[in-house]
Amino acid sequence: MLAPFQPVLKRSRIITTMSSLLFSLSELRLATVTLAAVAAIVPVYYYLRDDGLLKESTPHVRTFRNYLKAYTTLRPAALSANATADFTHSVLPLSLKIPVRPLDGFQQHAHIIFSLFASFQMIPVKTADDDGVHFSKRTNTVVAHCKMGGKVNGDSEKGRLLIDAGYDEWWTENVLVVRMSNDGLRVEEVKEFVDSAKAAELQKRLSGVLSS
């Protein structure tokens, strides 16, 4: 007697099973958002990865890296090796009243500063997500927040003044803004935004050494 009702029960089970496979509106929204996020993250990851590789491969950044390495030589000629004839160097903020220097003035200033040190480094400040060096293709400019300084040279007169004041090493920081030629092989301009308090202290201890 129950046989005629079996197809009805079977269809009911099928409908029940199919309904359990349907997504609610909130579940569909969550799935859509998740897929959209994944779709956005994946290309961004590869873009950033490739951008990093491309940045390091540009002549502008390679020239900048060489400029930083030149500080370790303590030789003004090495520091200005890629400078253009109309190169300029300036130190900010303006309150320090340090004049803008042409190439020869920059070399003379570098000689004075290097004489204070037995070793010197200009090191980009890195974070987990940032190597501290940024390149603008539009302006041919490389910008880096750097830690700079090193071991004081006790054999120089002004270096001895720092050591007598308790400084075996002298460290400070700056933001370097280096403008390159279009091909990225020459340095046209360097601007240094320095720690004004440390710069003023050095000026005071060494009788205007930064203005020399």
Side-chain angles (χ1 to χ4, degrees), residues 27-89:
E27 289 172 330
L28 285 172
R29 286 175 177 169
L30 177 60
T32 301
V33 170
T34 302
L35 287 173
V38 171
I41 290 171
V42 170
V44 167
Y45 166 76
Y46 283 104
Y47 170 78
L48 290 176
R49 186 188 68 173
D50 291 344
D51 181 64
L53 293 174
L54 289 172
K55 183 185 75 171
E56 288 300 323
S57 69
T58 62
H60 301 76
V61 174
R62 289 199 299 270
T63 299
F64 180 79
R65 298 283 189 193
N66 289 335
Y67 178 76
L68 295 186
K69 288 179 183 177
Y71 278 95
T72 65
T73 69
L74 298 177
R75 294 191 302 111
L79 193 60
S80 58
N82 294 315
T84 59
D86 58 351
F87 168 91
T88 59
H89 173 262

Side-chain angles (χ1 to χ4, degrees), residues 8-130:
V8 175
L9 292 173
K10 188 174 183 179
R11 284 196 298 272
S12 176
R13 285 196 296 271
I14 292 172
I15 292 171
T16 300
T17 302
M18 290 180 65
S19 65
S20 68
L21 296 176
L22 296 178
F23 294 100
S24 68
L25 183 59
S26 61
E27 289 172 330
L28 285 172
R29 286 175 177 169
L30 177 60
T32 301
V33 170
T34 302
L35 287 173
V38 171
I41 290 171
V42 170
V44 167
Y45 166 76
Y46 283 104
Y47 170 78
L48 290 176
R49 186 188 68 173
D50 291 344
D51 181 64
L53 293 174
L54 289 172
K55 183 185 75 171
E56 288 300 323
S57 69
T58 62
H60 301 76
V61 174
R62 289 199 299 270
T63 299
F64 180 79
R65 298 283 189 193
N66 289 335
Y67 178 76
L68 295 186
K69 288 179 183 177
Y71 278 95
T72 65
T73 69
L74 298 177
R75 294 191 302 111
L79 193 60
S80 58
N82 294 315
T84 59
D86 58 351
F87 168 91
T88 59
H89 173 262
S90 56
V91 177
L92 301 168
L94 295 175
S95 59
L96 292 173
K97 298 180 180 179
I98 298 175
V100 176
R101 299 182 177 93
L103 180 57
D104 58 346
F106 174 66
Q107 291 172 327
Q108 293 170 14
H109 172 71
H111 174 74
I112 293 171
I113 296 299
F114 284 159
S115 71
L116 299 174
F117 293 91
S119 64
F120 192 94
Q121 295 181 80
M122 184 77 75
I123 309 168
V125 177
K126 300 180 181 181
T127 65
D129 303 316
D130 184 1

